[in-house]
Amino acid sequence: MLDTVREINEKRRSSVIVMESGESFWLTWTQLQEHDPFAVGQEVDTDALREWLLPRQYPMALNDAVALLAQRAQASGEIRQKLKRKLYMDDTIEMVLYKLEKERLLDDEAFARDWAASRARSHVGKSRIMRELRMKGIPQQMAQNVLEELDEEESDEAAVALARKLLKRYSREADERKAMQKLLMAMARRGYGYEESKQAVETALQEEDE
């Protein structure tokens, strides 16, 4: 497909070639030296450019992705977003993700399961965990399945532990009704539903009485 160079944005030891269609290509200084020079107004075969650039970007993108995974476990959606911010082509990113999944360095379901369990133990409710998983690119159904697998007893204990902590925080409030509203709102921010929060508070209060 032929497209016209609209602008060339020079960066540190690299350039971004922006086409009239809005598509852009990031090339390092070394790649720019290998390729024929670009100029504003020049017609470029973008299919040929993508084909030429893919094997040159791929090793760099793979190294960047592995470095990200070395920092902590991540979902494929997170890796995709971060590589996209580094201006790698979509084809390059998909090739990297395929390689990582094939080598079992990426497993969205295992990541989602570990993330959900860890967050639940940290007194975070299911609705917030769902939002976090979706933000990381985990599919809706996969996230739902993982949440359904959470240990209910552990989740309830975590909610009670949070309620116990919040009861102490708001114990000095003169207005008990206002204190309870603040407590329930705090639990809602942590992702707990009203009924779940109410039950956790009742259990915590019962423990205090005992």
Side-chain angles (χ1 to χ4, degrees):
M1 173 182 172
L2 288 178
D3 203 346
T4 305
V5 176
R6 185 174 71 204
E7 58 185 278
I8 300 175
N9 298 321
E10 293 187 359
K11 296 180 175 289
R12 187 168 175 266
R13 297 187 63 79
S14 67
S15 289
V16 178
I17 314 301
V18 183
M19 315 304 292
E20 286 293 350
S21 64
E23 186 175 13
S24 61
F25 297 90
W26 170 67
L27 285 84
T28 65
W29 183 84
T30 302
Q31 292 161 0
L32 287 166
Q33 301 310 303
E34 287 184 54
H35 199 275
D36 293 335
F38 292 94
V40 173
Q42 173 187 351
E43 276 200 337
V44 174
D45 184 336
T46 53
D47 291 335
L49 179 55
R50 274 192 295 271
E51 187 176 346
W52 179 87
L53 193 53
L54 180 60
R56 290 164 173 80
Q57 277 194 353
Y58 172 71
M60 299 167 56
L62 182 60
N63 286 339
D64 283 344
V66 170
L68 288 169
L69 288 169
Q71 296 171 13
R72 66 169 178 83
Q74 302 192 44
S76 60
E78 291 180 281
I79 298 293
R80 178 181 282 105
Q81 290 168 9
K82 290 172 183 177
L83 292 181
K84 204 168 185 67
R85 284 199 291 269
K86 287 177 175 283
L87 303 179
Y88 288 112
M89 297 186 301
D90 290 343
D91 290 348
T92 303
I93 295 171
E94 293 308 318
M95 193 172 176
V96 167
L97 293 177
Y98 174 78
K99 173 68 173 177
L100 294 175
E101 288 167 2
K102 187 177 179 182
E103 297 296 329
R104 299 189 177 182
L105 294 173
L106 269 183
D107 184 333
D108 279 353
E109 189 169 354
F111 170 84
R113 190 176 291 114
D114 290 345
W115 180 272
S118 173
R119 297 296 280 159
R121 288 192 297 270
S122 300
H123 312 151
V124 177
K126 289 184 177 181
S127 66
R128 180 166 165 180
I129 295 173
M130 171 63 84
R131 289 197 302 273
E132 292 175 349
L133 289 174
R134 295 294 288 129
M135 286 177 65
K136 292 178 181 299
I138 300 298
Q140 176 84 21
Q141 190 57 56
M142 182 184 292
Q144 188 62 49
N145 292 343
V146 163
L147 290 174
E148 289 173 0
E149 292 174 7
L150 284 175
D151 187 303
E152 287 297 329
E153 187 173 341
E154 283 188 6
S155 297
D156 290 344
E157 287 174 0
V160 172
L162 178 60
R164 196 182 300 126
K165 178 181 176 181
L166 292 171
L167 280 168
K168 289 180 182 178
R169 179 184 300 176
Y170 297 116
S171 61
R172 295 179 183 177
E173 279 277 354
D175 188 328
E176 287 188 11
R177 185 178 62 82
K178 190 174 290 185
M180 186 58 64
Q181 285 179 342
K182 288 182 178 180
L183 188 155
L184 293 174
M185 286 174 63
M187 292 198 71
R189 287 193 295 273
R190 298 284 291 186
Y192 291 100
Y194 175 76
E195 291 299 331
E196 190 177 15
S197 300
K198 186 179 175 184
Q199 181 61 51
V201 171
E202 288 175 356
T203 302
L205 287 171
Q206 186 177 351
E207 288 176 355
E208 282 188 359
D209 291 342
E210 292 174 353

